[in-house]
C-alpha cells in the first residue's frame, strides 16, 4: 500500500504565470537570435562578410544558399519555441509538437554550449592550439570573429531557451518526475521492450564510444584525409565530449529501464529527474548531431575526395542517430507510463 502511494506521482500541474524572469528570458533568447540570423541572411544575399578569400564556402554557391536557408529556418524555429513557452496558450500545445523540436534544439545546442567554452579554456593553457576557424592548410574557413559571435549567440540562446523550457515543463509535467529512482515500481512484463531498447543502445554505443576515445587520443584511424590533417587539441576536446554524451544517454536509459538491479542499488536514491535529464540531453546530442553530420556528409560536394567521409565515419554517425532515437523513445515511453499512472 505504501509502495503504491510512493510510486504514483501527483497529477495536478502548476498554473502558468508569466512573471519578470520569463519576460527577461524571452527578451534575451530573441535578442540572441539576431546576430546569427543577420549573418545567414547576408550570406544568402551574396555578402562575403566574415568569409575570407579562398574559403571553401565560396566554391559551391547553391549548396551554401541551401545550407544557410535551412539553418535560418532552424533558428527561426527557436523564436517560435520561445513564444510558445511564454504564452498561456502554449500549455495547450500538443506535447509532440513541442517536445520533439525542443529535444532537437537541446541536442544541437548543448554540444556548442559545452564545447566552445571548453575549447577556449584549453587554448588558454595551450597557446599553440589552432582556432576553430582553421580548416587545414593556409585557407581559413571563416574569420575568427564569426565563431565568437555565432557561438556566443548560441550559448545565450541555449541558456535562455533551456531555462524557459524547464519552467514550462515544471508547470505542465513536473508531477511526472517527482520522487526517486528507488520509489519507481518494478519493471513489469510489459516493459521488456524498454529494457531491450536500453540494452541495444548500450551495445550499439560501444562502437562510436571506442572510436571517439581513439580519436580523442590522437588516432586518425577511420578518418578522412582532410579530417586527419586538420586534427588539433580542439578536435580532441570535442571527441571527449562526444564520448560523454554517449555515456550520458546510455546511463539514463539503463536507469530508467532497469531501476532495481543490484548493480544499480546505490543509484536508487537519485531523483527521477536525473536519469531523465541524462537521457534527454544525451540522446539529443548523440542523435541530432549524428543525423546532422550524416546529412552533411551525404549532401556535401563530391569533388574533393579528401573531405568525403569514410565508411567508418558514416557508420558512426548512423549508429549515433539510432542510439539517440532508441533512448528518446524509451524516455517518452517512461513519461507516458507515468502520466497513465498519475491519471
Amino acid at each position: 500500500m505504501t509502495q503504491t502511494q510512493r510510486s504514483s506521482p501527483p497529477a495536478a500541474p502548476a498554473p502558468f504565470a508569466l512573471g519578470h524572469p520569463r519576460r527577461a528570458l524571452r527578451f534575451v533568447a530573441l535578442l540572441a537570435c539576431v546576430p546569427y540570423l543577420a549573418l545567414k541572411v547576408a550570406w544568402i544575399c551574396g555578402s562575403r562578410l566574415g568569409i575570407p578569400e579562398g574559403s571553401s564556402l565560396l566554391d559551391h554557391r547553391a549548396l551554401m544558399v541551401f545550407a544557410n536557408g535551412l539553418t535560418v529556418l532552424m533558428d527561426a524555429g527557436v523564436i517560435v519555441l520561445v513564444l510558445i513557452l511564454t504564452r498561456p496558450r502554449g500549455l495547450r500545445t500538443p506535447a509532440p509538437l513541442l517536445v520533439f523540436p525542443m529535444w532537437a534544439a537541446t541536442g544541437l545546442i548543448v554540444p556548442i554550449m559545452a564545447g566552445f567554452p571548453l575549447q577556449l579554456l584549453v587554448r588558454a593553457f595551450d597557446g599553440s592550439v589552432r582556432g576553430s576557424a582553421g580548416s587545414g592548410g593556409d585557407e581559413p574557413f571563416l574569420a575568427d570573429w564569426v565563431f565568437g559571435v555565432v557561438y556566443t549567440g548560441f550559448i545565450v540562446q541555449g541558456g535562455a531557451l533551456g531555462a524557459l523550457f524547464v519552467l514550462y515543463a515544471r508547470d505542465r509535467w513536473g508531477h511526472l518526475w517527482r520522487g526517486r529512482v528507488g520509489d519507481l515500481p518494478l519493471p513489469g512484463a510489459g516493459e521488456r521492450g524498454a529494457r531491450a531498447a536500453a540494452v541495444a543502445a548500450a551495445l550499439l554505443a560501444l562502437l562510436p564510444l571506442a572510436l571517439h576515445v581513439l580519436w580523442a587520443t590522437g588516432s586518425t584511424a577511420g578518418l578522412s584525409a582532410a579530417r586527419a590533417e586538420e586534427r588539433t587539441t580542439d578536435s580532441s576536446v570535442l571527441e571527449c565530449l562526444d564520448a560523454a554524451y554517449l555515456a550520458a544517454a546510455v546511463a539514463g536509459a539503463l536507469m530508467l529501464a532497469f531501476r532495481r538491479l543490484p548493480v544499480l542499488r546505490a543509484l536508487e536514491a537519485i531523483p527521477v529527474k536525473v536519469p531523465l535529464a541524462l537521457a534527454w540531453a544525451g540522446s539529443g546530442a548523440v542523435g541530432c548531431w549524428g543525423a546532422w553530420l550524416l546529412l552533411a556528409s551525404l549532401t556535401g560536394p563530391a569533388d574533393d575526395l579528401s573531405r568525403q567521409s569514410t565508411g567508418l565515419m558514416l557508420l558512426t554517425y548512423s549508429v549515433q542517430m539510432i542510439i539517440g532515437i532508441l533512448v528518446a523513445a524509451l524516455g517518452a515511453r517512461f513519461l507516458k507510463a507515468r502520466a497513465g499512472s498519475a491519471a
Side-chain angles (χ1 to χ4, degrees):
M1 182 68 175
T2 302
Q3 178 62 37
T4 302
Q5 292 174 344
R6 292 172 63 197
S7 62
S8 298
F16 180 88
L18 183 61
H20 292 299
R22 294 194 206 209
R23 294 179 190 275
L25 288 169
R26 178 174 62 185
F27 175 78
V28 169
L30 295 177
L31 186 63
C33 294
V34 173
Y36 183 77
L37 289 174
L39 268 177
K40 291 290 185 173
V41 171
W43 291 342
I44 291 174
C45 294
S47 172
R48 294 190 177 185
L49 179 65
I51 305 178
E53 291 294 333
S55 172
S56 59
L57 288 176
L58 302 175
D59 297 337
H60 304 277
R61 172 66 182 164
L63 181 60
M64 179 183 176
V65 170
F66 170 77
N68 286 325
L70 179 60
T71 51
V72 163
L73 291 177
M74 292 169 65
D75 210 45
V78 172
I79 296 176
V80 174
L81 288 173
V82 169
L83 296 178
I84 291 175
L85 295 175
T86 54
R87 302 288 295 176
R89 293 182 180 179
L91 288 173
R92 296 196 293 271
T93 303
L97 296 181
L98 173 63
V99 172
F100 176 75
M102 272 304 310
W103 175 77
T106 301
L108 292 173
I109 294 179
V110 162
I112 296 174
M113 295 179 67
F116 187 59
L118 190 55
Q119 286 177 328
L120 294 179
L121 181 63
V122 170
R123 292 178 203 170
F125 291 96
D126 183 0
S128 65
V129 178
R130 186 175 57 198
S132 301
S135 60
D138 299 323
E139 297 180 354
F141 181 66
L142 284 170
D144 287 338
W145 67 264
V146 173
F147 289 91
V149 169
V150 169
Y151 287 165
T152 300
F154 279 151
I155 291 171
V156 175
Q157 278 184 50
L161 181 63
L164 286 172
F165 182 66
V166 168
L167 294 172
Y168 176 99
R170 182 196 62 187
D171 291 343
R172 184 171 179 178
W173 300 301
H175 58 288
L176 299 181
W177 55 71
R178 291 176 184 165
R180 302 184 180 277
V181 173
D183 297 333
L184 296 173
L186 291 171
E191 297 187 54
R192 291 175 181 171
R195 296 196 295 273
V199 171
L203 293 176
L204 286 172
L206 294 176
L207 172 64
L209 185 61
L211 288 173
H212 286 308
V213 171
L214 282 175
W215 294 337
T217 55
S219 173
T220 59
L223 293 175
S224 63
R227 279 282 299 274
E229 181 184 354
E230 294 167 4
R231 289 198 56 79
T232 66
T233 307
D234 280 1
S235 306
S236 297
V237 169
L238 297 181
E239 298 295 351
C240 289
L241 289 175
D242 286 337
Y245 305 141
L246 283 163
V250 170
L254 291 175
M255 280 192 280
L256 291 176
F258 289 94
R259 307 169 195 168
R260 304 291 186 83
L261 285 180
V263 70
L264 299 178
R265 188 65 54 84
L267 304 179
E268 291 184 2
I270 293 178
V272 173
K273 58 188 174 184
V274 171
L276 278 173
L278 290 174
W280 173 275
S283 67
V286 169
C288 294
W289 270 102
W292 179 258
L293 292 173
L294 182 63
L295 176 65
S297 299
L298 296 178
T299 59
D303 53 354
D304 188 352
L305 295 180
S306 68
R307 292 195 169 277
Q308 291 186 11
S309 297
T310 65
L312 191 56
M313 291 170 65
L314 294 176
L315 178 62
T316 301
Y317 303 152
S318 302
V319 170
Q320 290 186 176
M321 182 176 64
I322 294 171
I323 293 170
I325 293 172
L326 283 174
V327 176
L330 189 153
R333 188 184 187 283
F334 173 85
L335 290 174
K336 185 177 180 181
R338 290 274 281 177
S341 174

